[in-house]
Amino acid sequence: MKKSESELSEWHNGEDVLNVIDDILQDSATSIQIIEALELRMRRIEQSTGKKSAILLDHNQDKLYLTTNE
């Protein structure tokens, strides 16, 4: 699903996660499966919280978390 420019502007310096994963894996099929799984989980977070979801880097633990942007 494409987002409008105004929706994307609130997420500063965003990068297409599919491109990032595909650059590393060099396997489009696997990259798409990973993205679909992330998207499904993020949509569930949004539905359950009513807030937009995001991927957050925890610098202290060097881990990525799916979370809300608030």
Side-chain angles (χ1 to χ4, degrees), residues 7-33:
E7 286 179 299
L8 292 174
S9 67
E10 69 185 78
W11 302 96
H12 304 288
N13 302 315
E15 190 170 351
D16 186 336
V17 176
L18 175 59
N19 292 339
V20 173
I21 292 171
D22 199 40
D23 283 349
I24 295 167
L25 296 180
Q26 299 293 308
D27 179 353
S28 294
T30 301
S31 298
I32 290 171
Q33 288 177 327

Side-chain angles (χ1 to χ4, degrees), residues 4 11 14-15 17-20 22 24 27 33 38 40-41 45 47 51 53 59 61-63 66 70:
S4 70
W11 302 96
E15 190 170 351
V17 176
L18 175 59
N19 292 339
V20 173
D22 199 40
I24 295 167
D27 179 353
Q33 288 177 327
L38 287 170
L40 178 62
R41 184 59 60 104
I45 289 170
Q47 288 174 350
K51 299 175 183 177
S53 61
H59 294 278
Q61 297 181 8
D62 289 330
K63 291 185 179 183
L66 299 181
E70 297 175 358

Side-chain angles (χ1 to χ4, degrees), residues 43-51:
R43 288 185 187 279
R44 287 181 183 161
I45 289 170
E46 289 179 355
Q47 288 174 350
S48 68
T49 65
K51 299 175 183 177

